[in-house]
């Protein structure tokens, strides 16, 4: 009524049900296959319903990478902020490995081949890791649903922290002046707010008049990257910039231009001020500028973490590593401390 056969390095149980359906799940060990076979035979002998076993086995055999990606999207990613990005990652994975390829074929060798393809196409380690993360999510879902009998080992690529770019005060003045010279005053205001608050561009684009408390000089952010709302105090310059863009309808965003329009104008101004070849000179560098200036002023890292809305303190610590002044201050504090030891002349 049932049998177990070696299939490569794994073992396949083979069982035909009374109604003619054939179940052939694959297991890592002979004992696992034997356990499943005995359990299912007992269900049949005692008249228990095995329709779920049949359906699951049939679906597992038929499950391919594209169907798995779509199932993960609907089950885990639908409606989340990163849905489109995650789907792009997953879609690239199944297109490279084969959309109709069985999920059961995915092992370490197949994953190595995926990494090779991505490296051959010049993808960075960070990009490769994003693809591997999407594949890992898909396979974990498949493992929990019984589509695969084991979870392949996925080794991520090592990522460097990369260069962190921020603006000097001179660069800031030149940048803002050029925007105003081109009569892009609203975008110049946008930049001033980003520098003085450290907001992400996406957070500022969502900011409405009702989110600004002029009396307390603070903005309230309800929809943030880490999912936690926070309030950010405003400098007078940032407050003035927001008030210049205040709408009669407080439910409308303060800045009416699109992200595409801002990025287009940014790239134009970047070229005009002679920074066209600086790949790190991007809008997000304004957030880096705010963070590094706070570190330079000696603000406690925990305060900076809360101010910027970092989920982990490790993200904030990166700024302390790249601001020499803060390291020098630590040295000077030790030099000036009185430990009862006479300093050498």
């Amino acid at each position: 009524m049932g049998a177990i056969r070696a299939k490569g390095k794994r073992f396949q149980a083979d069982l035909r049900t009374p109604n003619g359906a054939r179940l052939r799940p694959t297991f890592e060990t002979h004992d696992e296959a034997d356990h499943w076979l005995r359990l299912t035979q007992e269900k049949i002998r005692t008249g228990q319903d095995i329709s779920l076993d049949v359906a699951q086995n049939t679906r597992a055999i038929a499950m391919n990478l594209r169907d798995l990606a779509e199932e993960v999207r609907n089950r885990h990613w639908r409606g989340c902020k990163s849905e489109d990005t995650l789907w792009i990652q997953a879609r690239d994975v199944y297109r490279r490995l084969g959309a109709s390829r069985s999920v059961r074929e995915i092992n370490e060798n197949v994953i190595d081949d995926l990494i090779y393809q991505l490296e051959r196409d010049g993808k960075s380690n960070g990009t490769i890791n994003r693809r591997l993360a999407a594949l890992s999510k898909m396979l974990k879902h498949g493992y929990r649903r019984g589509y695969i009998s084991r979870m392949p080992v996925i080794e991520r690529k090592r990522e460097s922290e990369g260069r962190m770019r921020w603006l000097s005060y001179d660069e800031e003045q030149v940048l803002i002046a050029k925007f105003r010279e081109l009569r892009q005053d609203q975008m110049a205001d946008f930049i001033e707010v980003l520098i003085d608050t450290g907001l992400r561009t996406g957070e500022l684009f969502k900011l409405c008049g009702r989110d600004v408390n002029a009396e307390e000089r603070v903005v309230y952010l309800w929809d943030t990257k880490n999912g936690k709302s926070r309030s950010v105090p405003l400098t007078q310059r940032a407050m003035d910039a927001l008030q210049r863009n205040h709408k009669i309808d407080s439910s409308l965003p303060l800045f009416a231009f699109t992200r595409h329009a801002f990025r287009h104008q940014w790239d134009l101004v970047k070229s005009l001020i002679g920074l066209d070849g600086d790949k790190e000179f991007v809008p997000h560098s304004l957030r880096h500028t705010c963070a590094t200036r706070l570190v330079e002023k000696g603000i406690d890292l925990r305060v900076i973490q809360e101010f910027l809305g970092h989920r982990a303190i490790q993200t904030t610590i990166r700024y302390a590593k790249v601001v020499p002044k803060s390291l020098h201050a630590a040295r000077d504090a030790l030099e000036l401390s009185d430990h009862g030891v006479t300093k050498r002349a």
Side-chain angles (χ1 to χ4, degrees):
M1 188 177 179
I4 298 175
R5 301 181 182 87
K7 190 174 182 181
K9 294 182 179 180
R10 296 190 288 178
F11 298 87
Q12 184 181 64
D14 190 344
L15 176 65
R16 190 175 295 277
T17 67
N19 63 1
R22 194 174 184 184
L23 306 181
R24 292 187 293 180
T26 303
F27 301 90
E28 289 301 304
T29 67
H30 187 281
D31 287 344
E32 290 176 349
D34 184 63
H35 174 74
W36 177 88
L37 186 60
R38 291 175 182 275
L39 184 63
T40 308
Q41 287 174 334
E42 180 64 18
K43 286 183 179 180
I44 294 174
R45 188 184 68 79
T46 57
Q48 296 181 49
D49 183 16
I50 63 168
S51 58
L52 183 61
D53 298 79
V54 175
Q56 187 177 43
N57 181 74
T58 302
R59 183 162 179 75
I61 293 173
M63 181 61 66
N64 59 44
L65 283 174
R66 178 172 51 202
D67 291 342
L68 179 62
E70 290 176 349
E71 188 170 302
V72 170
R73 184 185 191 183
N74 292 328
R75 176 65 179 82
H76 300 286
W77 298 337
R78 184 72 67 187
C80 75
K81 296 178 184 178
S82 304
E83 178 185 349
D84 291 341
T85 300
L86 293 168
W87 177 244
I88 289 172
Q89 308 285 3
R91 187 173 56 191
D92 186 48
V93 167
Y94 76 63
R95 284 178 174 175
R96 288 177 181 274
L97 296 182
S100 60
R101 189 171 196 163
S102 172
V103 176
R104 294 184 169 192
E105 296 179 18
I106 307 303
N107 55 32
E108 285 81 1
N109 291 332
V110 173
I111 295 170
D112 286 345
D113 182 59
L114 172 64
I115 294 173
Y116 170 75
Q117 289 184 42
L118 292 165
E119 289 177 334
R120 181 194 60 197
D121 292 347
K123 304 299 183 183
S124 68
N125 285 358
T127 298
I128 293 173
N129 284 342
R130 303 296 88 75
R131 301 294 195 274
L132 293 177
L135 177 60
S136 177
K137 183 67 175 180
M138 291 161 58
L139 293 176
K140 285 179 181 177
H141 176 85
Y143 180 73
R144 288 192 293 266
R145 295 298 186 277
Y147 304 154
I148 56 177
S149 59
R150 66 177 286 269
M151 181 68 194
V153 176
I154 300 179
E155 297 180 357
R156 307 295 173 88
K157 303 286 288 184
R158 183 172 182 176
E159 296 182 47
S160 64
E161 291 185 346
R163 181 189 175 203
M164 191 178 294
R165 177 69 157 90
W166 63 91
L167 279 65
S168 67
Y169 287 99
D170 288 342
E171 286 177 328
E172 175 190 340
Q173 291 179 4
V174 171
L175 177 70
I176 294 173
K178 182 58 68 174
F179 268 94
R180 297 203 184 280
E181 180 185 323
L182 296 174
R183 297 185 178 181
Q184 296 291 344
D185 291 321
Q186 194 179 41
M187 291 189 183
D189 290 340
F190 190 81
I191 290 171
E192 289 180 346
V193 175
L194 289 175
I195 291 175
D196 285 7
T197 62
L199 297 187
R200 301 175 179 90
T201 54
E203 293 172 341
L204 186 50
F205 271 117
K206 296 174 186 175
L207 200 68
C208 301
R210 63 190 177 195
D211 301 323
V212 181
N213 186 328
E215 184 177 345
E216 298 291 335
R217 261 175 51 190
V218 65
V219 293
Y220 303 108
L221 306 175
W222 309 107
D223 187 8
T224 66
K225 181 180 179 181
N226 65 14
K228 294 183 178 180
S229 60
R230 74 180 192 276
S231 59
V232 179
L234 298 169
T235 63
Q236 188 60 57
R237 179 173 75 159
M239 186 71 243
D240 292 342
L242 291 177
Q243 288 184 325
R244 284 194 293 269
N245 293 277
H246 185 73
K247 305 290 190 300
I248 296 177
D249 185 348
S250 63
S251 66
L252 294 176
L254 290 172
F255 296 96
F257 51 87
T258 65
R259 300 184 190 207
H260 176 76
F262 177 62
R263 189 55 191 258
H264 174 76
Q265 200 66 30
W266 175 278
D267 290 340
L268 172 62
V269 171
K270 176 180 174 179
S271 177
L272 293 175
I273 62 177
L275 293 174
D276 197 35
D278 190 341
K279 294 182 179 180
E280 281 81 23
F281 192 81
V282 295
H284 196 70
S285 61
L286 303 177
R287 179 169 164 85
H288 293 326
T289 301
C290 177
T292 52
R293 289 179 182 178
L294 290 174
V295 172
E296 287 176 336
K297 295 295 184 181
I299 305 301
D300 184 86
L301 290 179
R302 289 289 181 184
V303 175
I304 298 175
Q305 177 190 9
E306 184 176 354
F307 190 90
L308 296 176
H310 288 153
R311 183 186 296 272
I313 189 64
Q314 286 77 12
T315 305
T316 316
I317 290 174
R318 288 184 62 200
Y319 294 102
K321 292 179 180 178
V322 297
V323 181
K325 185 176 179 180
S326 64
L327 300 180
H328 295 166
R331 177 204 61 195
D332 294 342
L334 293 173
E335 290 277 16
L336 297 173
S337 63
D338 183 7
H339 298 299
V341 178
T342 302
K343 294 172 62 177
R344 294 181 181 178

